[in-house]
Amino acid sequence: MTTSRIREDVAGLIATRTPGRSLEGDLYVSPEALDLDLDAIFYRSWIFVAVEPDLPEAGDYVTVSVGRYSVIITRDDDEEIRAFHNVCRHRGSRLLDDKCGSIGNIVCPYHQWTYDQQGHLLHAESTPPGFDRSLFSLRKVNLRNVSGLIFVCLSDDPPEDFDEFASRVTPYLAPHRLPTTKIAHQIDIVENGNWKLVMENNRECTHCGGHPELLCSLFPVYGYQESDIGPRLRPAWDRYLAAKAEFEGICARNGLPWAAIEELDTRRTGFRIEREPLDMAGESFTIDGTLASRKLLADFTEPRLGRLSMHLQPNAWFHFLSDHIVTFSVLPLTADSSLLRTTWLVAADAVEGVDYDVDKLTYVWQQTNDQDRAFVARAHAGVGNPAYVPGPYLPPEYQVEAFCNWYVQRVREIL
Ligand code: 3BY
Ligand code: FES
């Protein structure tokens, strides 16, 4: 089949999409749809790829693969963070292989063309007289740093609303001072499911009964409104409302914004942010809700700051707490598999074994990730079955629908 024919088929599935229902199966499982997703979404949007503490020192770098691209992110001697394509300007060799490391100059392993940390070509052997090295700098990738969260955009024409998004969320994020934290733990897991199913699963809590550890501290009403609450959730809802009333006072006292901003499918850089109370002791994502790290972040003096949660299209979500931060990024590997990276950050001066214990810090989300991995694999297997027909999103799943609306809009823009 020609590329344009494939596009027509996928375009047909997008065109006939019924609002309020899940997507057609081939949009989740076909390699052609993944190609389209990469083109429409991952090569054009701002993609969350790293946190500043991934590169704590001058000379540190990380590499990240986004579809067919590989990107190098570096911190230079002036502490500036930059991104380049991981492609030599001589004959295109990949430059860096490792996920992270530390370097002075970037030396191509093939014929040793040598670039400085700003991407300038410093040295190339056997060049003819008059060879202009300045024409062969590494190709830059657009990068933004929002309170220590690193985003790249592979397009030369990045979405223009990103800076406005950044200025709206910065008052929420900045008080946690992510750039002053350190990585306590980071794990990559491969989900046996399409990236959209990983994202959809994250956008609702109607499956949260499958997360007993998370529900120790998270109220199981994420995405619910009063009218959605049945007898099963009524006690939790009442507890949530009582906690919220007290919590708003805590936020006000600490000068922390908490009100929800919800623009998941009404803008190019779709996002949702809100600070909400936690259950039990109300301090952190632990089994009894008490702190996972004794050293609070920034200059916080109160542990009960709840969870500042931010959900972003297309590929990320975050929880900022008083004692740690946990970030999640999703990148497609194939139509059937996705990489989920989870990073836990604690205060830079928190001492492992004294102030925090990695197992306690990571337990709830390790369990939750594992449970979600099973849900995603199950969903992927089901939507790949020829008997699958798109089903209805229910009211507490409105953020799943917002994700699909946002996705469909992006694909329509390029078809
Ligand atoms: O991580 C999240 O933000 C959401 C909250 C509940 C379901 N999901 C795990
Ligand atoms: Fe990099 Fe030749 S391809 S030096």
Side-chain angles (χ1 to χ4, degrees):
M1 236 194 286
T2 64
T3 308
S4 58
R5 180 65 216 289
I6 291 165
R7 287 223 162 181
E8 264 172 43
D9 288 354
V10 177
L13 296 178
I14 293 280
T16 55
R17 184 216 173 203
T18 309
R21 299 212 165 223
S22 55
L23 302 174
E24 293 287 347
D26 274 346
L27 290 176
Y28 294 111
V29 301
S30 78
E32 292 79 15
L34 176 69
D35 285 345
L36 193 65
D37 290 0
L38 291 173
D39 187 4
I41 313 280
F42 284 89
Y43 299 165
R44 293 174 200 253
S45 306
W46 287 100
I47 304 294
F48 169 67
V49 289
V51 287
E52 251 195 66
D54 275 308
L55 315 110
E57 310 277 344
D60 289 348
Y61 72 85
V62 295
T63 61
V64 53
S65 296
V66 181
R68 292 168 59 207
Y69 290 87
S70 172
V71 176
I72 305 171
I73 301 162
T74 62
R75 186 191 282 267
D76 71 14
D77 289 337
D78 299 325
E79 299 286 324
E80 184 156 341
I81 296 177
R82 295 187 165 81
F84 304 104
H85 288 286
N86 190 4
V87 177
C88 183
R89 292 298 310 276
H90 177 215
R91 282 164 46 205
S93 165
R94 173 158 296 184
L95 294 164
L96 298 174
D97 301 322
D98 292 341
K99 272 196 330 198
C100 61
S102 190
I103 32 162
N105 294 324
I106 300 174
V107 182
C108 179
Y110 201 177
H111 316 96
Q112 287 73 52
W113 279 32
T114 302
Y115 305 88
D116 68 14
Q117 292 169 345
Q118 283 86 41
H120 303 121
L121 178 61
L122 292 178
H123 174 72
E125 257 188 28
S126 312
T127 49
F131 180 82
D132 186 353
R133 287 199 309 267
S134 71
L135 299 177
F136 297 97
S137 295
L138 293 181
R139 296 188 63 204
K140 286 188 182 150
V141 175
N142 292 300
L143 181 143
R144 288 282 190 282
N145 182 343
V146 182
S147 297
L149 305 174
I150 311 283
F151 296 80
V152 294
C153 180
L154 292 160
S155 166
D156 292 334
D157 184 20
E160 283 173 7
D161 69 345
F162 190 85
D163 292 338
E164 194 244 340
F165 148 76
S167 66
R168 307 251 317 265
V169 299
T170 294
Y172 289 76
L173 304 176
H176 293 258
R177 294 194 201 147
L178 189 151
T180 69
T181 64
K182 66 175 178 186
I183 294 181
H185 199 58
Q186 184 169 73
I187 50 162
D188 288 344
I189 61 174
V190 175
E191 304 257 358
N192 293 315
N194 184 265
W195 72 277
K196 297 189 288 297
L197 293 172
V198 181
M199 296 308 299
E200 290 189 24
N201 176 71
N202 167 256
R203 299 292 144 100
E204 49 91 357
C205 211
T206 59
H207 72 274
C208 280
H211 295 316
E213 299 82 5
L214 180 63
L215 289 195
C216 293
S217 53
L218 184 93
F219 289 102
V221 296
Y222 179 85
Y224 285 77
Q225 302 194 344
E226 175 81 44
S227 52
D228 307 327
I229 299 296
R232 184 179 63 87
L233 284 176
R234 176 59 56 187
W237 179 257
D238 291 343
R239 237 177 28 259
Y240 166 72
L241 290 184
K244 202 164 162 57
E246 186 203 356
F247 183 68
E248 290 176 1
I250 297 178
C251 294
R253 193 161 69 232
N254 287 275
L256 299 170
W258 68 87
I261 308 178
E262 186 152 54
E263 301 187 3
L264 284 164
D265 59 355
T266 50
R267 55 183 292 139
R268 181 65 182 80
T269 301
F271 75 99
R272 181 181 201 284
I273 194 164
E274 183 174 19
R275 185 182 292 276
E276 292 199 280
L278 289 170
D279 206 351
M280 303 285 281
E283 298 173 356
S284 200
F285 281 131
T286 51
I287 292 302
D288 57 3
T290 60
L291 292 176
S293 172
R294 281 181 6 200
K295 283 265 168 22
L296 296 186
L297 303 181
D299 52 8
F300 293 147
T301 53
E302 286 202 43
R304 294 180 67 222
L305 302 181
R307 61 177 175 99
L308 167 62
S309 298
M310 181 165 78
H311 293 80
L312 290 189
Q313 319 295 27
N315 83 317
W317 62 96
F318 311 84
H319 300 293
F320 286 61
L321 299 98
S322 66
D323 63 338
H324 76 279
I325 297 167
V326 56
T327 72
F328 303 81
S329 78
V330 178
L331 293 169
L333 297 173
T334 66
D336 303 333
S337 64
S338 314
L339 183 73
L340 173 68
R341 171 168 290 185
T342 309
T343 305
W344 288 263
L345 301 130
V346 295
D349 60 350
V351 179
E352 186 180 349
V354 177
D355 298 309
Y356 70 98
D357 171 69
V358 171
D359 289 340
K360 183 178 178 189
L361 176 72
T362 62
Y363 180 70
V364 165
W365 281 105
Q366 296 245 35
Q367 296 296 111
T368 304
N369 280 348
D370 264 0
Q371 293 147 359
D372 280 333
R373 177 159 53 171
F375 283 130
V376 167
R378 180 177 285 286
H380 191 93
V383 300
N385 184 321
Y388 159 76
V389 286
Y393 292 126
L394 304 175
E397 296 167 321
Y398 77 96
Q399 291 179 34
V400 187
E401 198 191 354
F403 171 78
C404 287
N405 290 341
W406 182 90
Y407 164 77
V408 165
Q409 284 177 63
R410 301 290 79 76
V411 176
R412 284 188 178 145
E413 276 165 9
I414 69 151
L415 285 173

